[in-house]
Amino acid sequence: MGTTGFKLGVRSAAFALALCGMSHAADRGKGPVSRQSIESKIEYCLICHGTSGQGFRGYYTMPRLAGQQPQYIENQLHAFKEGRRLNPIMQNVVTGISPGMIQPLAEYLRSLNAAPHGGGPTEGAGLGKRIFEVGLPDANIPACAVCHGPDARGTRQIPRLAGQLYWYVTKTLTNFSRERGQRGEDSSGIMAPVARNLSPAQISAVAAYVSSLR
Amino acid sequence: MNRFALHLAALAITLASTGPLLAEDDLPIRNCTFCHGVSGQGFMVAPRIAGQRPQYIENQLKSFMAQVRDNPYARKYMHNASANLTPNLVTGFAQYFASQAPRPADDGDKNLLATGKDIFENGIPSQNVVACVVCHGPSAEGVRQIPRLGGLSYLYVKRQLDQWNEGYRQAAHPMPKVAKFLSPGEIDALASYLSYVE
């Protein structure tokens, strides 16, 4: 899609979503969110997360948001706000996201269908596929597919992993408990022991595999 | 040590990708330093290229050659200056200037340092200004194709941000979208801060 087409797409989708965002926000008495402010916020998100939400590799790796489960996006934004997930950049970003914006943003991001970012190593993808599909029973690693789905697209609060950037998956599994599940329990706690039991080579293999999935 | 490792890595990449690195004697460095200053430290409107990311230098040279980078000074000087570059020269210049130690220009308004640093590190979430640090790194050192900004002259950084808002360099995604949320005062503060970053 050309830039103009993309802009138009963003505009019309954002408009439709802004309208449902407005009704929801009004329902909760949090005041209306203007179409303009939703459009600008989407543009702002995609500056870092890639034009089509496919993720972007800067000094830090910005994860793919395209096709992500709305419930997961909402949970993470709340986790940043409440300090349950530690990330200085995103904890700043959420100060500019009002409650009424969250749902329209999450719905818009789910509608994006970018091809995987790619660029990571492909070594170990075979081992990664095996871990993803059947797990490593001897190391207490369950099959990722049980929760994340056979196509790695997630469901409800369980995130989509398909097409996620290799470097982001690697980082997430490497420092899982230092970033997530702070200040009390949240649903991410279930991943902490799994991440702990994976070796660096196994993490790399799983990351290589899921990053290649559409 | 870091710099030494970087040189080794750069050399290895060059050897692997394009055959032997051109010896400095064979590189017409003076064609560059005539405007970009002795050891590439920049002069007037020609930016510092010393210590710049080699991948960024290569990309810019190719962009000048293809006349994609279209800001006025690029059109006036760099389109011609780059017209006859060979792939070996592009790589040679990029490796050579990337390996020169950069010195900060220190020419911004010191009263704006705190504001500039705050925007660089935190952005301005309420007005959709992203934090520069996420791509350019904590010391504005850049990485891969993303340029080092630390120590570039106040005027150069300010002009680039202004020019994105004037419609130039639109291919340099995502910078046109970043710049459009910045006010003139915020551009001033960022350019001032960056000029002092080592």
Side-chain angles (χ1 to χ4, degrees):
Chain A
M1 206 173 358
T3 316
T4 320
F6 173 73
K7 264 188 194 153
L8 275 177
V10 168
R11 292 250 160 95
S12 46
F15 181 54
L17 294 165
L19 290 177
C20 62
M22 281 162 84
S23 61
H24 279 274
D27 287 345
R28 286 184 240 130
K30 283 176 176 142
V33 180
S34 74
R35 167 188 164 178
Q36 176 63 43
S37 68
I38 298 277
E39 275 184 22
S40 298
K41 195 57 76 179
I42 287 172
E43 205 174 353
Y44 166 76
C45 298
L46 298 186
I47 287 173
C48 288
H49 289 277
T51 319
S52 313
Q54 76 276 24
F56 186 75
R57 228 185 142 205
Y59 189 90
Y60 305 109
T61 299
M62 273 61 84
R64 173 193 177 98
L65 301 179
Q68 189 50 279
Q69 295 292 334
Q71 189 61 56
Y72 176 75
I73 300 263
E74 290 189 31
N75 287 352
Q76 297 314 301
L77 291 175
H78 286 298
F80 290 129
K81 254 189 190 173
E82 293 155 20
R84 281 181 285 117
R85 181 169 169 189
L86 302 181
N87 180 303
I89 300 295
M90 283 305 298
Q91 286 177 281
N92 249 322
V93 164
V94 293
T95 64
I97 298 179
S98 63
M101 284 180 184
I102 292 182
Q103 189 175 13
L105 284 178
E107 289 295 338
Y108 177 76
L109 294 169
R110 181 196 8 214
S111 75
L112 297 175
N113 188 25
H117 179 285
T122 50
E123 299 89 64
L127 170 63
K129 183 172 165 40
R130 189 156 62 82
I131 296 172
F132 190 88
E133 289 175 353
V134 301
L136 297 167
D138 296 343
N140 266 328
I141 304 295
C144 317
V146 172
C147 292
H148 291 275
D151 53 5
R153 290 189 177 170
T155 176
R156 295 186 300 278
Q157 81 275 29
I158 298 165
R160 174 194 174 112
L161 304 177
Q164 190 51 276
L165 275 62
Y166 168 83
W167 307 274
Y168 181 76
V169 177
T170 303
K171 181 212 81 165
T172 302
L173 289 172
T174 303
N175 80 349
F176 201 90
S177 300
R178 286 198 297 277
E179 177 165 337
R180 302 183 192 227
Q182 312 293 317
R183 296 195 198 174
E185 286 293 306
D186 64 25
S187 61
S188 71
I190 196 166
M191 273 300 297
V194 179
R196 203 165 41 238
N197 287 338
L198 284 166
S199 72
Q202 290 160 351
I203 287 176
S204 179
V206 167
Y209 175 65
V210 297
S211 71
S212 71
L213 297 175
R214 296 199 158 257
Chain B
M1 172 57 206
N2 258 344
R3 195 170 297 280
F4 180 64
L6 189 69
H7 287 191
L8 272 184
L11 184 66
I13 289 164
T14 309
L15 290 174
S17 58
T18 60
L21 185 64
L22 284 176
E24 284 175 27
D25 292 345
D26 298 333
L27 268 181
I29 299 299
R30 284 193 53 195
N31 289 8
C32 308
T33 56
F34 189 73
C35 292
H36 287 276
V38 180
S39 66
Q41 298 300 325
F43 183 67
M44 302 282 287
V45 296
R48 184 191 71 193
I49 48 180
Q52 191 48 277
R53 297 284 146 205
Q55 188 60 58
Y56 177 77
I57 299 180
E58 282 202 27
N59 287 352
Q60 297 313 300
L61 287 174
K62 289 174 187 164
S63 177
F64 293 129
M65 292 169 80
Q67 309 200 345
V68 168
R69 183 165 165 174
D70 60 352
N71 52 305
Y73 284 122
R75 285 206 294 237
K76 191 169 176 185
Y77 298 108
M78 287 310 297
H79 286 191
N80 278 337
S82 63
N84 296 318
L85 289 177
T86 62
N88 269 351
L89 281 175
V90 168
T91 309
F93 282 137
Q95 298 300 333
Y96 175 80
F97 285 107
S99 70
Q100 303 289 301
R103 290 196 298 271
D106 292 341
D107 60 354
D109 180 347
K110 282 199 165 157
N111 295 318
L112 299 175
L113 283 185
T115 309
K117 186 177 199 293
D118 186 38
I119 299 172
F120 185 86
E121 291 177 353
N122 302 313
I124 311 173
S126 61
Q127 63 184 63
N128 296 325
V129 174
V130 295
C132 318
V133 65
V134 299
C135 285
H136 291 279
S139 306
E141 64 268 58
V143 61
R144 297 184 304 278
Q145 84 282 14
I146 298 168
R148 178 193 294 277
L149 305 179
L152 288 176
S153 74
Y154 163 81
L155 193 65
Y156 177 74
V157 173
K158 177 178 154 48
R159 282 303 297 144
Q160 301 314 301
L161 289 165
D162 284 343
Q163 282 171 347
W164 276 306
N165 285 330
E166 291 161 11
Y168 298 108
R169 294 190 72 187
Q170 296 302 298
H173 175 79
M175 287 309 300
K177 283 170 180 283
V178 175
K180 85 173 211 184
F181 291 112
L182 288 166
S183 72
E186 287 152 6
I187 288 178
D188 246 16
L190 272 175
S192 290
Y193 166 67
L194 286 167
S195 76
Y196 292 98
V197 174
E198 301 206 21

